[in-house]
mmCIF file of all heavy atoms in Angstrom:
data_model
loop_
_atom_site.group_PDB
_atom_site.id
_atom_site.type_symbol
_atom_site.label_atom_id
_atom_site.label_comp_id
_atom_site.label_asym_id
_atom_site.label_seq_id
_atom_site.Cartn_x
_atom_site.Cartn_y
_atom_site.Cartn_z
ATOM 1 N N GLY R 58 80.991 60.743 239.328
ATOM 2 C CA GLY R 58 79.924 60.039 238.644
ATOM 3 C C GLY R 58 78.560 60.275 239.273
ATOM 4 O O GLY R 58 78.438 60.911 240.318
ATOM 5 N N TRP R 59 77.551 59.730 238.637
ATOM 6 C CA TRP R 59 76.164 59.789 239.122
ATOM 7 C C TRP R 59 75.952 58.711 240.175
ATOM 8 O O TRP R 59 76.440 57.590 239.986
ATOM 9 C CB TRP R 59 75.216 59.548 237.936
ATOM 10 C CG TRP R 59 73.766 59.462 238.276
ATOM 11 C CD1 TRP R 59 72.855 60.478 238.255
ATOM 12 C CD2 TRP R 59 73.034 58.294 238.671
ATOM 13 N NE1 TRP R 59 71.608 60.016 238.613
ATOM 14 C CE2 TRP R 59 71.691 58.674 238.880
ATOM 15 C CE3 TRP R 59 73.370 56.956 238.888
ATOM 16 C CZ2 TRP R 59 70.694 57.770 239.292
ATOM 17 C CZ3 TRP R 59 72.392 56.054 239.295
ATOM 18 C CH2 TRP R 59 71.076 56.468 239.490
ATOM 19 N N PRO R 60 75.229 59.000 241.234
ATOM 20 C CA PRO R 60 74.651 60.263 241.710
ATOM 21 C C PRO R 60 75.478 60.816 242.862
ATOM 22 O O PRO R 60 74.921 61.237 243.878
ATOM 23 C CB PRO R 60 73.277 59.786 242.212
ATOM 24 C CG PRO R 60 73.592 58.430 242.836
ATOM 25 C CD PRO R 60 74.742 57.850 242.030
ATOM 26 N N LEU R 61 76.787 60.792 242.723
ATOM 27 C CA LEU R 61 77.697 60.983 243.845
ATOM 28 C C LEU R 61 78.099 62.448 244.045
ATOM 29 O O LEU R 61 77.354 63.351 243.712
ATOM 30 C CB LEU R 61 78.896 60.055 243.664
ATOM 31 C CG LEU R 61 78.508 58.572 243.532
ATOM 32 C CD1 LEU R 61 79.709 57.701 243.206
ATOM 33 C CD2 LEU R 61 77.797 58.080 244.784
ATOM 34 N N SER R 62 79.272 62.663 244.616
ATOM 35 C CA SER R 62 79.746 64.010 244.926
ATOM 36 C C SER R 62 81.258 64.037 244.863
ATOM 37 O O SER R 62 81.906 63.014 244.586
ATOM 38 C CB SER R 62 79.277 64.427 246.329
ATOM 39 O OG SER R 62 80.022 63.733 247.331
ATOM 40 N N ALA R 63 81.830 65.186 245.155
ATOM 41 C CA ALA R 63 83.286 65.320 245.171
ATOM 42 C C ALA R 63 83.940 64.348 246.150
ATOM 43 O O ALA R 63 85.105 63.976 245.977
ATOM 44 C CB ALA R 63 83.658 66.760 245.530
ATOM 45 N N ASP R 64 83.193 63.915 247.169
ATOM 46 C CA ASP R 64 83.741 63.005 248.174
ATOM 47 C C ASP R 64 84.158 61.662 247.579
ATOM 48 O O ASP R 64 84.955 60.941 248.181
ATOM 49 C CB ASP R 64 82.716 62.754 249.276
ATOM 50 C CG ASP R 64 82.407 63.999 250.085
ATOM 51 O OD1 ASP R 64 83.077 65.030 249.890
ATOM 52 O OD2 ASP R 64 81.471 63.945 250.914
ATOM 53 N N ASP R 65 83.631 61.321 246.406
ATOM 54 C CA ASP R 65 83.984 60.045 245.801
ATOM 55 C C ASP R 65 85.441 59.996 245.376
ATOM 56 O O ASP R 65 85.959 58.912 245.078
ATOM 57 C CB ASP R 65 83.072 59.769 244.591
ATOM 58 C CG ASP R 65 83.066 58.309 244.187
ATOM 59 O OD1 ASP R 65 82.984 57.452 245.091
ATOM 60 O OD2 ASP R 65 83.140 58.016 242.981
ATOM 61 N N TRP R 66 86.104 61.150 245.354
ATOM 62 C CA TRP R 66 87.497 61.230 244.922
ATOM 63 C C TRP R 66 88.478 61.318 246.095
ATOM 64 O O TRP R 66 89.661 61.634 245.894
ATOM 65 C CB TRP R 66 87.693 62.448 244.023
ATOM 66 C CG TRP R 66 87.032 62.337 242.696
ATOM 67 C CD1 TRP R 66 85.919 62.999 242.264
ATOM 68 C CD2 TRP R 66 87.443 61.516 241.594
ATOM 69 N NE1 TRP R 66 85.614 62.654 240.973
ATOM 70 C CE2 TRP R 66 86.535 61.734 240.537
ATOM 71 C CE3 TRP R 66 88.500 60.617 241.407
ATOM 72 C CZ2 TRP R 66 86.654 61.088 239.303
ATOM 73 C CZ3 TRP R 66 88.613 59.967 240.176
ATOM 74 C CH2 TRP R 66 87.700 60.208 239.148
ATOM 75 N N ASP R 67 88.043 61.027 247.316
ATOM 76 C CA ASP R 67 88.925 61.174 248.475
ATOM 77 C C ASP R 67 90.265 60.447 248.289
ATOM 78 O O ASP R 67 91.329 61.002 248.594
ATOM 79 C CB ASP R 67 88.236 60.645 249.739
ATOM 80 C CG ASP R 67 87.184 61.591 250.283
ATOM 81 O OD1 ASP R 67 87.077 62.721 249.769
ATOM 82 O OD2 ASP R 67 86.458 61.199 251.218
ATOM 83 N N ALA R 68 90.220 59.211 247.800
ATOM 84 C CA ALA R 68 91.460 58.422 247.672
ATOM 85 C C ALA R 68 92.418 59.042 246.671
ATOM 86 O O ALA R 68 93.645 58.939 246.823
ATOM 87 C CB ALA R 68 91.127 56.987 247.270
ATOM 88 N N GLN R 69 91.879 59.671 245.630
ATOM 89 C CA GLN R 69 92.732 60.313 244.625
ATOM 90 C C GLN R 69 93.210 61.685 245.103
ATOM 91 O O GLN R 69 94.385 62.032 244.924
ATOM 92 C CB GLN R 69 91.972 60.444 243.302
ATOM 93 C CG GLN R 69 91.834 59.150 242.517
ATOM 94 C CD GLN R 69 90.958 58.112 243.203
ATOM 95 O OE1 GLN R 69 89.845 58.437 243.619
ATOM 96 N NE2 GLN R 69 91.432 56.887 243.318
ATOM 97 N N MET R 70 92.335 62.458 245.720
ATOM 98 C CA MET R 70 92.720 63.802 246.149
ATOM 99 C C MET R 70 93.801 63.761 247.232
ATOM 100 O O MET R 70 94.749 64.547 247.203
ATOM 101 C CB MET R 70 91.497 64.580 246.611
ATOM 102 C CG MET R 70 90.538 64.902 245.464
ATOM 103 S SD MET R 70 89.162 65.963 245.927
ATOM 104 C CE MET R 70 89.978 67.540 246.203
ATOM 105 N N MET R 71 93.678 62.852 248.175
ATOM 106 C CA MET R 71 94.702 62.747 249.218
ATOM 107 C C MET R 71 96.035 62.281 248.630
ATOM 108 O O MET R 71 97.101 62.771 249.019
ATOM 109 C CB MET R 71 94.231 61.778 250.306
ATOM 110 C CG MET R 71 93.033 62.283 251.084
ATOM 111 S SD MET R 71 93.366 63.817 251.990
ATOM 112 C CE MET R 71 94.490 63.225 253.252
ATOM 113 N N PHE R 72 95.990 61.367 247.672
ATOM 114 C CA PHE R 72 97.209 60.864 247.031
ATOM 115 C C PHE R 72 97.930 61.976 246.282
ATOM 116 O O PHE R 72 99.146 62.174 246.452
ATOM 117 C CB PHE R 72 96.843 59.720 246.076
ATOM 118 C CG PHE R 72 97.994 59.192 245.274
ATOM 119 C CD1 PHE R 72 98.833 58.215 245.795
ATOM 120 C CD2 PHE R 72 98.243 59.652 243.985
ATOM 121 C CE1 PHE R 72 99.904 57.714 245.052
ATOM 122 C CE2 PHE R 72 99.304 59.159 243.239
ATOM 123 C CZ PHE R 72 100.135 58.194 243.769
#
Side-chain angles (χ1 to χ4, degrees):
W59 175 94
L61 303 174
S62 73
D64 294 353
D65 198 44
W66 291 108
D67 284 353
Q69 285 67 50
M70 292 186 70
M71 293 298 291
F72 175 85

